[in-house]
């Protein structure tokens, strides 16, 4: 389609008649381990679109600026057009996944502090873990912008923890991205979903997220439906 601006692993972005707005289309494609593992998960795009709508709306109500405008249909949403800052902000309330493997810490360990990490979004480098000084040296952002994004990330974490806790879900960790709109304002962008978060049932510790795909646990669609039903 001639209006296609960008296609990523899980979404397509289309331009609209308004130069400051885009349509984001959610695909069923799933990838893991930097694209090594690939598959299609039934209805994943529909579920992530709806979950992101709910969470971004709740974050807006709490004063978190984000790019979401409205959901158009099952797979598409209208958003502010932003220039993505090529950093992933990772929040770890519990230790799991790559950090557990990297530092040989038992998965599910709860540290006394909240752990914040940033990764350089660069597919050919495997999205490496970097520090603040690397980010500034690479001219990805300024220290002031970093401070703003960390501050928003911390606020987002507290809001999301409360949302999920009330529904019997542990927010283990998650990753988010930010972008700048045409006014230069920093906005939360991309998505928040079981694709970008680790979500465990508080009572059973059952995984209700993309780890079901990564680890071949099955019942992936059912897990995403469970998250949608609880937060809805």
């Amino acid at each position: 389609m001639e209006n296609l601006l960008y296609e990523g692993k899980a979404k397509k972005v289309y331009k609209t008649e308004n130069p400051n707005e885009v349509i984001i289309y959610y695909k069923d494609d799933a990838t893991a381990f930097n694209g090594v593992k690939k598959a299609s998960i039934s209805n994943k795009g529909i579920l992530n679109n709806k979950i992101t709508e709910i969470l971004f709306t709740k974050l807006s109500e709490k004063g978190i600026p984000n790019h979401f405008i409205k959901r158009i249909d099952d797979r598409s949403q209208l958003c502010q057009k932003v220039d993505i800052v090529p950093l992933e902000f990772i929040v770890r309330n519990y230790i799991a996944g790559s950090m557990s493997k990297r530092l040989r810490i038992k998965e599910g360990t709860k540290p006394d502090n909240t752990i914040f990490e940033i990764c350089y979004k660069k597919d050919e480098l495997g999205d490496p873990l970097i520090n603040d000084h690397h980010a500034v040296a690479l001219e990805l952002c300024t220290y002031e912008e970093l401070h703003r994004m960390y501050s928003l990330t911390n606020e987002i974490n507290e809001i999301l923890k409360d949302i999920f806790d009330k529904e019997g879900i542990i927010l283990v960790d998650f990753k988010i991205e930010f972008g700048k709109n045409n006014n230069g304002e920093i906005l939360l962008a991309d998505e928040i979903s079981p694709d970008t978060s680790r979500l465990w049932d508080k009572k059973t510790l059952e995984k209700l997220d993309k780890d079901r795909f990564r680890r071949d646990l099955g019942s992936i669609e059912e897990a995403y439906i469970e998250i949608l039903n609880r937060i809805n």
Side-chain angles (χ1 to χ4, degrees):
M1 187 181 293
E2 62 180 17
N3 289 331
L4 181 67
L5 287 173
Y6 168 81
E7 181 169 2
K9 296 169 185 172
K11 294 184 286 295
K12 294 179 181 179
V13 180
Y14 295 93
K15 63 182 178 181
T16 67
E17 292 180 359
N18 185 333
N20 297 319
E21 295 178 352
V22 294
I23 292 171
I24 297 178
Y25 175 90
Y26 283 71
K27 304 190 294 183
D28 288 339
D29 295 356
T31 63
F33 315 117
N34 287 320
V36 173
K37 184 175 184 178
K38 298 178 182 179
S40 179
I41 298 170
S42 179
N43 295 319
K44 181 176 81 75
I46 294 172
L47 293 163
N48 282 348
N49 183 31
K50 292 180 178 178
I51 291 168
T52 296
E53 174 198 13
I54 293 167
L55 294 177
F56 273 52
T57 300
K58 289 178 183 290
L59 288 167
S60 289
E61 291 167 355
K62 295 290 187 177
I64 300 296
N66 63 69
H67 73 165
F68 179 80
I69 298 173
K70 66 178 181 178
R71 182 165 62 84
I72 298 170
D73 55 36
D74 278 352
R75 290 187 178 273
S76 303
Q77 54 185 236
L78 184 69
C79 296
Q80 287 190 56
K81 185 177 187 292
V82 297
D83 292 323
I84 291 290
V85 178
L87 292 172
E88 279 183 348
F89 284 75
I90 300 167
V91 181
R92 299 185 185 277
N93 297 308
Y94 291 75
I95 295 170
S98 61
M99 183 175 177
S100 176
K101 292 177 183 175
R102 189 168 68 243
L103 301 180
R104 296 183 182 177
I105 300 172
K106 183 180 178 183
E107 184 161 86
T109 298
K110 190 178 190 322
D112 292 333
N113 62 322
T114 303
I115 299 165
F116 296 88
E117 300 173 342
I118 53 173
C119 287
Y120 180 24
K121 282 184 61 63
K122 196 83 167 174
D123 284 343
E124 56 267 39
L125 299 178
D127 296 347
L129 196 64
I130 62 173
N131 66 32
D132 296 4
H133 307 297
H134 293 146
V136 174
L138 290 166
E139 299 182 344
L140 308 179
C141 58
T142 65
Y143 282 113
E144 291 76 17
E145 289 168 341
L146 264 178
H147 177 76
R148 173 62 174 159
M149 290 185 283
Y150 275 125
S151 177
L152 285 170
T153 299
N154 185 58
E155 289 183 59
I156 291 164
N157 183 42
E158 293 305 315
I159 295 166
L160 292 180
K161 279 195 300 182
D162 184 59
I163 290 169
F164 285 117
D165 183 67
K166 287 176 179 175
E167 306 307 330
I169 299 164
I170 299 170
L171 178 61
V172 176
D173 60 28
F174 65 95
K175 60 183 180 181
I176 51 177
E177 296 179 23
F178 294 95
K180 294 180 188 177
N181 65 10
N182 65 313
N183 295 320
E185 182 184 9
I186 291 176
L187 306 178
L188 172 66
D190 196 45
E191 67 179 288
I192 299 175
S193 72
D195 266 18
T196 61
S197 316
R198 283 191 172 87
L199 304 165
W200 296 354
D201 181 87
K202 196 190 294 187
K203 292 181 180 178
T204 66
L205 300 183
E206 180 186 6
K207 294 174 174 60
L208 300 172
D209 53 63
K210 194 176 174 182
D211 270 350
R212 303 201 68 83
F213 167 66
R214 294 186 188 98
R215 305 181 187 190
D216 298 316
L217 298 175
S219 301
I220 306 166
E221 182 184 0
E222 290 82 356
Y224 284 46
I225 291 171
E226 179 70 16
I227 293 296
L228 176 60
N229 287 342
R230 290 202 201 184
I231 66 169
N232 202 25

